[in-house]
């Protein structure tokens, strides 16, 4: 493994503590100002096996690329998937993220 990026870890901590949050039905989106323009996706092991966790990560990544094709500037997004959203459809997940990004004023 490479050296950890301590600045990124510090910025993630700031966004988690002082960032704003949108609590949706299936996902929670935190955002805050940061010099790292990143979208981080968090799925707990309680969600299910690695197959299901990777599948929902791919779905969220696909939705983010569709809704934000040019990315976002000076904002860090942390998307946390709820444990009970395992059986959610792609359309419901997309609707929740559309509401979140509209609330944040990214779209």
């Amino acid at each position: 493994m490479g050296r950890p990026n301590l600045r990124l870890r510090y910025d993630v901590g700031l966004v988690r503590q002082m960032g704003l949050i949108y609590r949706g039905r299936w996902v929670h989106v935190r955002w805050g100002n940061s010099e790292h323009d990143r979208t981080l996706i968090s799925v707990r092991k309680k969600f299910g096996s690695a197959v299901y966790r990777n599948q929902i990560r791919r779905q969220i990544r696909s939705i983010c690329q569709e809704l934000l094709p040019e990315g976002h500037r000076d904002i860090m997004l942390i998307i946390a998937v709820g444990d009970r959203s395992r059986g959610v459809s792609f359309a419901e997940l997309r609707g929740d993220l559309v509401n979140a990004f509209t609330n944040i004023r990214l779209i």
Side-chain angles (χ1 to χ4, degrees):
M1 281 184 23
R3 292 181 10 208
N5 188 338
L6 297 179
R7 180 65 189 174
L8 178 63
R9 183 180 293 180
Y10 177 76
D11 284 351
V12 168
L14 283 179
V15 170
R16 288 186 69 211
Q17 287 178 358
M18 298 188 308
L20 301 172
I21 186 167
Y22 169 83
R23 287 184 171 89
R25 185 171 181 190
W26 308 113
V27 295
H28 294 238
V29 180
R30 292 181 188 266
W31 71 95
N33 295 332
S34 172
E35 58 189 53
H36 295 96
D37 306 330
R38 295 206 179 184
T39 301
L40 307 173
I41 302 169
S42 171
V43 184
R44 293 176 8 146
K45 283 190 176 183
K46 200 178 217 183
F47 183 81
S49 69
V51 173
Y52 295 119
R53 292 194 309 266
N54 291 336
Q55 178 183 17
I56 199 150
R57 276 191 199 104
R58 284 192 303 270
Q59 289 176 347
I60 289 174
R61 196 175 310 120
S62 170
I63 293 168
C64 289
Q65 288 174 353
E66 175 191 342
L67 296 176
L68 307 170
E70 297 164 9
H72 43 81
R73 302 291 280 159
D74 301 327
I75 294 176
M76 179 181 288
L77 294 174
I78 302 174
I79 302 172
V81 179
D83 294 338
R84 61 182 174 23
S85 57
R86 181 172 169 189
V88 68
S89 71
F90 185 81
E92 290 174 317
L93 190 62
R94 186 181 185 283
D96 208 11
L97 285 172
V98 166
N99 289 339
F101 293 160
T102 304
N103 191 4
I104 300 170
R105 295 188 178 110
L106 287 177
I107 57 172

